[in-house]
Amino acid sequence: MRAALAVCVCACIGLFIAEASAADVAVRPQAVSLLGQPLYSAPPSAEALEQLAEAQADYERDPDDADNIIWYGRRIAYTGDYHRAIEVFGEGIVKHPHDARMYRHRGHRYISIRKFDHAIKDFERAVELIDGQPNEIEPDGLPNAMNMPISTLHGNIWYHLGLAYYLQHDWENALRAYDTAYAVGDNDDNKVSTTHWRYMILRRMGRDAEARQVLTPITADMTVIENDSYHQLCLFYKGELSYADIMGENADTPGGSAVGYGIANWLYYSGETSRAIAMLEQLAANDGWSAFGVIAAEADLAAL
């Protein structure tokens, strides 16, 4: 009875702290966009706060446990407090300097706050640490509809490293990373997501024949669990879906940032620069500023 009461009290205290922290996050910018705009996190859901309180309780019971540190940092990030999450992963690196997961998750959140050099440094270190090590499934923080994790530690490290280089328009290194990410994945979700970025990179490099070639394994009957947008984009690039198919009823507003960025990029390297810029500007104004498509839109507009 006494133990159950103690657990209840700890959970309530954790939820109170999580709510207070979320209120603080809402009034201070988490980052500055690549176009100079302050970026604020939206208020987290009640579910996100409850999950954070649980993760915090586990962390406080054993703050040296690597899994507790990772889930505490991930849950903090899901509430929009990216700076605090980065601090927690940094603490994890001090305690577990050879655990690639700490660098992988901190690097992800460095991307969120537009610190790409820091992200690349973390991901390159993670690449060193996984060299020669067996791959492993990475648990989902936000499970898909089938509650089936589809990504791996190695795949996520290479994927996010490619993204960080892409956001700096370092096409050669971005392609190197995404080629590796494609090779280490063993499911259709990985194939469509990495192929989408590889295609875009090759088109930006002017290597159009190679871009068409990487699309060859992509087919309409693939078993894609959560990366539907990337799958549709790849089929669009192949000419198997039309512009109207992928954009839906509103030809000017994409259904999400992934589709929007893919289409804007396609318009850009197809020579329709003004339409591409208009769509990039629309994406950059999106409240969901941590989405990769939004960050990529900012990077392109800043470069232009």
Side-chain angles (χ1 to χ4, degrees):
M1 178 72 175
R2 190 173 297 174
L5 180 60
V7 170
C8 181
V9 169
C10 288
C12 291
I13 292 173
L15 183 58
F16 174 79
I17 294 172
E19 290 174 343
S21 176
D24 180 55
V25 168
V27 298
R28 57 183 171 85
Q30 279 291 306
V32 176
S33 80
L34 301 176
L35 304 175
Q37 300 299 314
L39 300 172
Y40 296 86
S41 292
S45 66
E47 181 182 13
L49 291 174
E50 289 173 3
Q51 290 172 336
L52 172 56
E54 292 171 4
Q56 182 173 344
D58 290 339
Y59 168 80
E60 290 175 349
R61 275 194 295 272
D62 187 355
D64 292 328
D65 181 82
D67 288 334
N68 288 349
I69 295 170
I70 288 170
W71 278 108
Y72 185 37
R74 292 182 74 174
R75 294 301 182 192
I76 290 172
Y78 296 152
T79 68
D81 193 349
Y82 300 125
H83 287 277
R84 176 59 184 141
I86 286 169
E87 290 175 0
V88 170
F89 295 130
E91 173 191 323
I93 287 170
V94 171
K95 294 177 178 178
H96 304 276
H98 302 294
D99 190 330
R101 297 176 299 170
M102 302 296 177
Y103 298 90
R104 171 265 188 270
H105 287 290
R106 188 172 72 170
H108 184 168
R109 293 313 166 188
Y110 273 134
I111 290 176
S112 298
I113 64 170
R114 281 61 171 168
K115 291 189 175 182
F116 308 138
D117 285 338
H118 290 65
I120 287 169
K121 183 178 179 180
D122 273 358
F123 289 127
E124 290 287 13
R125 176 57 179 152
V127 164
E128 293 174 358
L129 291 170
I130 62 173
D131 185 35
Q133 299 299 313
N135 202 358
E136 61 188 67
I137 295 293
E138 189 168 80
D140 286 333
L142 302 171
N144 56 47
M146 297 182 66
N147 196 25
M148 181 186 299
I150 60 168
S151 60
T152 65
L153 176 62
H154 293 198
N156 275 328
I157 289 169
W158 283 108
Y159 184 96
H160 289 85
L161 175 61
L163 176 64
Y165 278 125
Y166 182 96
L167 294 169
Q168 291 193 327
H169 290 185
D170 183 343
W171 308 129
E172 290 287 351
N173 276 315
L175 184 61
R176 168 180 63 89
Y178 276 120
D179 281 347
T180 307
Y182 180 88
V184 302
D186 60 355
N187 59 59
D188 287 347
D189 274 87
N190 172 76
K191 287 182 173 65
V192 298
S193 62
T194 53
T195 295
H196 158 72
W197 290 98
R198 292 164 73 213
Y199 175 84
M200 291 197 302
I201 293 164
L202 287 165
R203 289 297 304 269
R204 294 292 283 266
M205 297 172 78
R207 294 159 60 176
D208 294 2
E210 292 175 68
R212 288 190 296 271
Q213 188 175 2
V214 301
L215 295 173
T216 302
I218 307 301
T219 61
D221 61 353
M222 297 174 80
T223 304
V224 176
I225 297 173
E226 64 183 57
N227 288 324
D228 294 312
S229 295
Y230 290 143
H231 188 204
Q232 291 179 342
L233 281 166
C234 289
L235 294 175
F236 169 73
Y237 302 147
K238 289 187 74 172
E240 295 180 15
L241 289 178
S242 68
Y243 187 88
D245 289 332
I246 199 161
M247 292 296 285
E249 295 181 2
N250 189 335
D252 298 319
T253 305
S257 62
V259 171
Y261 182 71
I263 293 295
N265 214 7
W266 178 81
L267 290 169
Y268 179 75
Y269 45 65
S270 298
E272 298 189 53
T273 309
S274 60
R275 289 180 66 194
I277 291 175
M279 190 170 287
L280 291 173
E281 289 174 341
Q282 183 182 36
L283 280 167
N286 194 311
D287 289 337
W289 52 265
S290 63
F292 294 159
V294 175
I295 304 174
E298 286 181 18
D300 285 354
L301 289 170
L304 288 171

